[in-house]
Amino acid sequence: MASANDRAVLQAIFNPSTPFGDVPGLHQEEVPDDDSCFDPELLKQVKELEKQGVCAAESGDLTSALQLFSQAIHILPQRGSAYNNRAQALRLQGDAAGALLDLDQALALTGSTGRTSCQALVQRGLLHRLQSRDDEARADFEKAAALGSEFARQQVVALNPYAAMCNKMLSEADLDAL
């Protein structure tokens, strides 16, 4: 993990118009989703289905996971979290197109705030990256980084062509000669 000084140096290199050491969004925390608009009993039921779905996916039972996430969506179709979770299961099953549709729906429902938005942006960025659509991936990672994702920040740096060039030069340098 990079130190505060390392991040400040990178900030100065890649964003010379900002003050040295000013790393936008560095100390932001992920904002929890606002579920206050949903019926508490239905929300409790949906969260339990999602929890079961995550457990099923983690144990390798993607078919059950997809069924559980779909049940949660059926109960509360205006809540983005189950779409985000189902997208993960679809991606693990190799259905990138289906995953992208669910991620787009999760983002449409959650807007640009909250934990679900952040996670959906990271997932969508990864899918774009796997499909060699780096500009779209970078845009999603930048939005997720602004929402507090450290992983997304790292991806933004990795997708920066100048950072890639510097890393290549450093890996080829004879550090013993320095």
Side-chain angles (χ1 to χ4, degrees):
M1 173 166 257
S3 70
N5 186 56
D6 293 341
R7 288 188 297 270
V9 169
L10 288 172
Q11 180 67 16
I13 292 169
F14 298 121
N15 297 299
S17 62
T18 60
F20 185 77
D22 182 20
V23 182
L26 179 62
H27 301 291
Q28 283 184 327
E29 299 279 329
E30 273 191 20
V31 177
D33 293 329
D34 180 13
D35 287 333
S36 64
C37 61
F38 300 113
D39 176 273
E41 286 302 313
L42 292 178
L43 183 61
K44 181 179 177 183
Q45 186 180 357
V46 164
K47 285 185 174 185
E48 182 58 32
L49 286 168
E50 287 186 69
K51 182 179 172 185
Q52 291 172 15
V54 169
C55 288
E58 287 175 347
S59 70
D61 187 359
L62 295 177
T63 302
S64 293
L66 288 168
Q67 290 171 348
L68 290 161
F69 296 138
S70 293
Q71 283 179 319
I73 289 168
H74 181 73
I75 294 168
L76 281 179
Q78 296 306 312
R79 186 168 183 267
S81 179
Y83 289 98
N84 184 58
N85 286 321
R86 188 171 71 178
Q88 176 73 354
L90 288 168
R91 184 187 63 78
L92 291 171
Q93 202 173 46
D95 183 1
L100 285 170
L101 287 173
D102 272 0
L103 292 170
D104 289 343
Q105 183 63 26
L107 289 165
L109 292 170
T110 59
S112 60
T113 61
R115 182 175 45 246
T116 297
S117 291
C118 185
Q119 292 170 345
L121 286 163
V122 168
Q123 274 199 83
R124 195 170 70 176
L126 288 170
L127 284 169
H128 287 320
R129 191 142 189 226
L130 288 172
Q131 296 171 343
S132 299
R133 297 191 328 235
D134 288 349
D135 290 339
E136 291 166 281
R138 185 180 305 107
D140 281 345
F141 288 137
E142 286 173 353
K143 291 174 191 171
L147 291 173
S149 171
E150 182 61 35
F151 175 80
R153 276 189 209 100
Q154 293 168 1
Q155 294 304 304
V156 170
V157 171
L159 284 167
N160 183 315
Y162 298 111
M165 183 176 58
C166 289
N167 285 337
K168 185 174 187 293
M169 288 171 32
L170 284 172
S171 68
E172 294 172 354
D174 183 6
L175 297 179
D176 293 331
L178 297 175

